Amino acid sequence: MKVVILAGGLGTRISEYTKTIPKPMVKINKVPIIERIMNHYAKYGYKEFVLALGYKKNIIKNHFNKSKFKKWKINLVDTGRLTMTGGRIKRLQKYFNENENFMVTYGDGLSNINIKKLVKFHIMHKKMVTLTAVRPPARFGALKIKVNKVVYFKEKSSLDEGWINGGFFVMKKKFLKFIKDDNTYLERKPLEIVAKLNQLKAFKHTGFWQCMDTKRDKDRLEKIIKKKKY
């Protein structure tokens, strides 16, 4: 099963780094985050990748042209500098057979998700799309105040948060017909439509998950990996 990694965005919220390199090439403890993502899939036996490139694509191409990556099959595909997430996947449709399942994830998030269990879940439920639902890392504590007096204080846990889309999708090729063009966000109409058609399942992952939207997120990831908690 092929793994698509969305690696073409501008990464404007972490511009300290993305002025010079694309976001997936930002290093977490000396290893580009995209390489860490690919290592995770490879650990479960999935070693055929399609990288959907755009912004500063040549930096990613040059990185993966090194001999150490010959153990993987990597297709480096220019999907346009300003193409949205759905549009990037649509541009890759020639890489998939009609009845083929394929995986998709973002090039800026790490998780200890069990990929084999995710795939098994998708195949068992026979739906068009499976997404991984995660709880976002908690950022704030909770207070309850009565007339300036704190009557309740609790350090917020991720369990207090609702479920969100954590990426790590499995899809059938026929889902691509719901993506209109380059301007289509995967996370808007296409997924909304398949949800209404009862063709979208959620694989709940309660383990480690962290995206890298900001420098704060990058620093958090580095600490977690240093402590070997991932």
Side-chain angles (χ1 to χ4, degrees), residues 2-9 23-25 33-42 46 48-54 60 64 72-77 79 85 88-89 92 96 102-110 168-169:
K2 298 181 185 77
V3 180
V4 171
I5 302 181
L6 299 170
K23 191 179 182 185
M25 290 302 295
I33 191 167
I34 190 170
E35 194 178 322
R36 288 189 178 276
I37 295 165
M38 293 164 79
N39 274 321
H40 187 69
Y41 278 99
Y46 299 100
E48 188 170 353
F49 300 97
V50 185
L51 306 190
L53 309 180
I60 297 178
F64 286 106
W72 300 338
K73 183 176 180 184
I74 305 173
N75 289 290
L76 299 151
V77 186
T79 53
T85 47
R88 290 190 191 284
I89 299 168
L92 300 174
F96 315 115
F102 61 95
M103 289 186 272
V104 176
T105 198
Y106 303 106
D108 63 354
L110 293 178
F168 296 94
F169 300 91

Side-chain angles (χ1 to χ4, degrees), residues 6 40 48 50 52 55 59 88 102 104 110 119 122 147 161 169 174 193-194 205 219 228:
L6 299 170
H40 187 69
E48 188 170 353
V50 185
Y55 177 67
I59 292 173
R88 290 190 191 284
F102 61 95
V104 176
L110 293 178
V119 171
H122 175 77
V147 198
E161 304 283 349
F169 300 91
K174 60 184 175 182
I193 291 168
V194 293
H205 174 65
D219 294 342
K228 297 185 177 171

Side-chain angles (χ1 to χ4, degrees), residues 33-230:
I33 191 167
I34 190 170
E35 194 178 322
R36 288 189 178 276
I37 295 165
M38 293 164 79
N39 274 321
H40 187 69
Y41 278 99
K43 186 173 88 173
Y44 288 93
Y46 299 100
K47 299 177 182 179
E48 188 170 353
F49 300 97
V50 185
L51 306 190
L53 309 180
Y55 177 67
K56 295 191 181 292
K57 60 184 181 290
N58 288 335
I59 292 173
I60 297 178
K61 283 182 176 179
N62 290 340
H63 181 75
F64 286 106
N65 278 334
K66 295 170 188 168
S67 60
K68 71 171 183 172
F69 298 109
K70 300 298 182 198
K71 57 189 175 178
W72 300 338
K73 183 176 180 184
I74 305 173
N75 289 290
L76 299 151
V77 186
D78 182 5
T79 53
R81 192 174 182 272
L82 300 176
T83 308
M84 298 299 109
T85 47
R88 290 190 191 284
I89 299 168
K90 181 95 171 177
R91 283 199 184 201
L92 300 174
Q93 56 189 325
K94 71 175 185 181
Y95 289 90
F96 315 115
N97 299 323
E98 272 320 300
N99 299 310
E100 188 178 2
N101 286 304
F102 61 95
M103 289 186 272
V104 176
T105 198
Y106 303 106
D108 63 354
L110 293 178
S111 178
N112 63 357
I113 179 173
N114 186 313
I115 301 295
K116 285 233 162 118
K117 285 184 179 177
L118 167 66
V119 171
K120 188 178 178 183
F121 177 92
H122 175 77
I123 291 167
M124 181 176 71
H125 288 282
K126 299 178 180 177
K127 299 296 184 183
M128 213 178 293
V129 180
T130 298
L131 62 76
T132 298
V134 299
R135 295 195 187 273
R139 292 195 186 273
F140 305 104
L143 292 177
K144 197 177 282 181
I145 300 171
K146 279 186 184 174
V147 198
N148 295 332
K149 183 183 175 185
V150 176
V151 293
Y152 173 87
F153 176 86
K154 187 185 176 193
E155 190 62 31
K156 203 167 182 70
S157 120
S158 62
L159 297 178
D160 298 322
E161 304 283 349
W163 295 96
I164 63 166
N165 166 28
F168 296 94
F169 300 91
V170 190
M171 302 174 174
K172 292 183 178 176
K173 186 179 180 180
K174 60 184 175 182
F175 168 67
L176 300 184
K177 70 184 178 186
F178 297 105
I179 300 172
K180 188 180 176 186
D181 54 29
D182 281 359
N183 298 314
T184 305
Y185 288 89
L186 167 67
E187 304 79 6
R188 294 183 188 171
K189 263 201 170 171
L191 288 180
E192 288 169 8
I193 291 168
V194 293
K196 283 176 186 169
L197 293 172
N198 192 29
Q199 286 294 316
L200 178 63
K201 293 296 279 187
F203 177 80
K204 289 182 176 178
H205 174 65
T206 56
F208 168 72
W209 176 89
Q210 175 69 55
C211 62
M212 187 188 67
D213 281 336
T214 63
K215 185 180 184 300
R216 177 183 173 178
D217 294 331
K218 177 190 185 297
D219 294 342
R220 179 183 167 89
L221 277 167
E222 294 201 320
K223 282 179 187 171
I224 289 166
I225 287 168
K226 231 172 223 176
K227 290 176 181 175
K228 297 185 177 171
K229 288 190 175 178
Y230 158 63

